Amino acid sequence: MFAKQTYIERRNELRRRMPKGGIVVLPGNSEAPRNYFDNAYAFRQDSTFLYFFGLQNADLVGVIDLDNEQDWLFGNDYTVDDIIWMGPQPSVSELGASVGVANTAPFAAARDHIQAAIRSGRKVHYLVPYRGEGVLLMSQLTGIKTTEHYAHCSADLIINVAAMREEKSAEEIEELQRAFQIGYDMHTTAMRLTREGVSERVIAGAMEGVTHQYGEGVSFHSIVSQHGETLHNHSHDGICTNGRLLLVDAGGESVNNYCSDHTRTFPVSGKFTPEQRDIYNIVLSAHDEVLKVARPGQYMNLHNVALKSLAEGLIGVGLMKGNADEAVAAGAVGLFMPHGLGHGLGMDVHDCEAMGERGMRDFSKIVARAEEVDTCIMRSRWRLRPGTVLTDEPGIYFIPALIEQWKGEGKCKEFINYDKLGRFYEFGGIRLEDDLLITEDGNMMLGEGKHIPITVEEVEAFMAER
Ligand code: GLY
Ligand code: MN
Ligand code: MN
């Protein structure tokens, strides 16, 4: 948790940005039972609640008043029955005081407070809830049907929260540096353990252990797979085999819930084959080209810089043909990299995505205000600014089903040498991912000068020592 003043200033800043005449309702998360109430998944607070209220307790509702400085925190004090199991706990008024909120009341009073605002004609601003419990709670608080939250969520709030959360402060960047260190330890642990005969599960488990030693666990399900061509492959059932590449895409959360997200792809044997090295170096060049040019400006430019670099490399090894710019414009590189170059990173590993084009089922309300939507919640319009943190994660994947589909359709056949791709069906995929902070005139990779081994020489040297 940061100092109380941080949360006071954030709420005041939101008040300055939002239209007058309403309240902002930000519920925290509740516990999510695994199979009975007292055996819950690890609690993870809602990131926007955390951003404005900083508290890690379940079952709280924060309200920011846009017409005065009377913010509220609603929640129930723990009873002695709770304390028997949980130990001594602060009261809700003590929690409120710790983040500069003087007005507190029991949980049930939140509904009355919000209903009173509605009756007096004030606008109730809220974000679309993304969990079942949150959907039900928002309906109880506002009286809006569970099926109608997309229609009633607040575009003003989405746009302003995303803009604030995207611009990282110095103390947030320190947290992201801590998350980097966890990511570094995870990935070097994975490299150290990888060898013929070791199961992917053992590597994933050891790596995830690091996230619990130094932080709050993983920032997303770890991807540890020799089938790197499957973009989000959460199976860890494979046994490491010499000659294969292992793709590890994983990150951890700092104690204050800031995330890292890195990918490395390395040979189980510790030595790349010449063919693996060629494809790997094409991905690495695209990754490095992005580092050379990332600065305040449009995200899509960076995406296209990466695609062009991949196209040049793939033309160089004979898997593509023609002109690289034309291949990018035709969408041909999408056969090899069917995903975006990167995404925002912060308290969510895909930052603010629950309220973005990829999280909301109906984004039209926001698109209608396209001029204002230039944060990471809409990548085609994303304008990188100093303080933006994003991932740089190009890849080349040989996905047999996709290749077969494109080949069958003759798609982009003027740019793709389909006859050369047959022997890559067993290759897998390569992705390389690092986390960048956009600065006033360029960018820096998180890690304060340290990086997870990435060049062929660095990877092979590291693995030779394992
Ligand atoms: N964590 C998956 C990704 O890199 O976006
Ligand atoms: Mn990743
Ligand atoms: Mn990522």
Side-chain angles (χ1 to χ4, degrees), residues 206-228:
M207 210 178 60
E208 293 187 356
V210 170
T211 71
H212 296 288
Q213 282 175 285
Y214 300 109
E216 280 297 307
V218 295
S219 51
F220 59 96
H221 281 302
S222 305
I223 298 165
V224 181
S225 179
Q226 292 161 105
H227 280 285

Side-chain angles (χ1 to χ4, degrees), residues 47-62:
S47 297
T48 300
F49 178 85
L50 212 43
Y51 184 83
F52 289 103
F53 288 91
L55 297 167
Q56 291 284 4
N57 307 60
D59 299 323
L60 296 171
V61 176

Side-chain angles (χ1 to χ4, degrees), residues 220-221 223 232 249-250 261 263 343 349-350 391 393 431 433:
F220 59 96
H221 281 302
I223 298 165
H232 280 180
D249 179 354
D261 183 9
T263 308
H343 49 84
V349 66
H350 281 215
T391 64
E393 51 177 307
R431 177 164 63 253
E433 177 174 23

Side-chain angles (χ1 to χ4, degrees), residues 66-368:
L66 298 174
D67 302 308
N68 56 53
E69 294 199 357
Q70 300 300 313
D71 297 331
W72 284 82
L73 184 69
F74 297 94
N76 293 334
D77 282 335
Y78 291 100
T79 64
V80 173
D81 279 351
D82 296 322
I83 288 166
I84 290 170
W85 295 95
M86 302 167 68
Q89 298 293 322
S91 65
V92 173
S93 70
E94 287 166 336
L95 290 175
S98 72
V99 291
V101 179
N103 305 300
T104 61
F107 192 83
R111 183 174 185 283
D112 300 338
H113 187 92
I114 293 161
Q115 291 297 322
I118 293 170
R119 278 195 303 278
S120 58
R122 303 180 77 201
K123 168 99 180 135
V124 174
H125 298 270
Y126 68 91
L127 304 172
V128 174
Y130 52 87
R131 284 190 188 177
E133 291 83 351
V135 171
L136 292 174
L137 173 62
M138 194 51 81
S139 289
Q140 285 161 9
L141 295 174
T142 59
I144 292 167
K145 282 190 194 160
T146 54
T147 50
E148 293 186 2
H149 288 312
Y150 285 99
H152 287 92
C153 69
S154 165
D156 285 313
L157 188 60
I158 289 172
I159 290 166
N160 285 304
V161 168
M164 286 182 66
R165 280 182 52 187
E166 180 164 325
E167 193 175 332
K168 304 296 188 285
S169 66
E171 60 191 348
E172 290 184 287
I173 291 163
E174 273 179 37
E175 280 297 321
L176 286 159
Q177 299 288 17
R178 291 190 183 105
F180 164 84
Q181 187 57 48
I182 296 172
Y184 180 92
D185 291 344
M186 292 171 80
H187 282 269
T188 49
T189 296
M191 285 182 186
R192 227 174 258 123
L193 284 176
T194 297
R195 66 200 68 219
E196 166 94 359
V198 174
S199 79
E200 293 165 357
R201 187 176 299 274
V202 162
I203 297 166
M207 210 178 60
E208 293 187 356
V210 170
T211 71
H212 296 288
Q213 282 175 285
Y214 300 109
E216 280 297 307
V218 295
S219 51
F220 59 96
H221 281 302
S222 305
I223 298 165
V224 181
S225 179
Q226 292 161 105
H227 280 285
E229 76 280 10
T230 302
L231 299 186
H232 280 180
N233 189 342
H234 294 142
S235 152
H236 302 150
D237 289 336
I239 303 295
C240 289
T241 307
N242 280 341
R244 301 282 304 170
L245 293 169
L246 183 69
L247 185 151
V248 176
D249 179 354
E253 288 194 9
S254 70
V255 170
N256 283 321
N257 296 114
Y258 282 79
C259 300
S260 66
D261 183 9
H262 294 93
T263 308
R264 290 294 184 266
T265 311
F266 46 88
V268 168
S269 69
K271 278 282 212 196
F272 290 89
T273 66
E275 189 164 71
Q276 287 170 344
R277 193 171 51 229
D278 286 347
I279 304 295
Y280 186 93
N281 278 330
I282 297 171
V283 179
L284 182 59
S285 292
H287 166 281
D288 290 350
E289 282 304 304
V290 170
L291 295 180
K292 283 185 205 154
V293 299
R295 58 173 56 86
Q298 283 299 318
Y299 160 81
M300 284 308 290
N301 296 348
L302 286 190
H303 178 78
N304 289 329
V305 161
L307 292 187
K308 182 175 174 188
S309 176
L310 292 179
E312 286 169 347
L314 287 163
I315 291 167
V317 295
L319 296 182
M320 290 186 77
K321 56 191 170 183
N323 173 280
D325 284 311
E326 288 169 15
V328 171
V333 193
L335 177 64
F336 300 99
M337 182 174 131
H339 63 71
L341 171 70
H343 49 84
L345 184 76
M347 273 190 289
D348 296 330
V349 66
H350 281 215
D351 215 25
C352 301
E353 246 176 52
M355 48 188 174
E357 60 188 325
R358 286 158 289 161
M360 288 175 66
R361 265 165 278 151
D362 178 4
F363 197 61
S364 56
K365 191 168 170 177
I366 306 300
V367 174

Side-chain angles (χ1 to χ4, degrees), residues 28-34 36-45 56-60 78 86 131 133-134:
N29 275 333
S30 53
E31 295 280 2
R34 291 175 60 164
Y36 67 96
F37 292 115
D38 286 342
N39 185 28
Y41 291 102
F43 179 73
R44 175 54 155 84
Q45 186 57 283
Q56 291 284 4
N57 307 60
D59 299 323
L60 296 171
Y78 291 100
M86 302 167 68
R131 284 190 188 177
E133 291 83 351

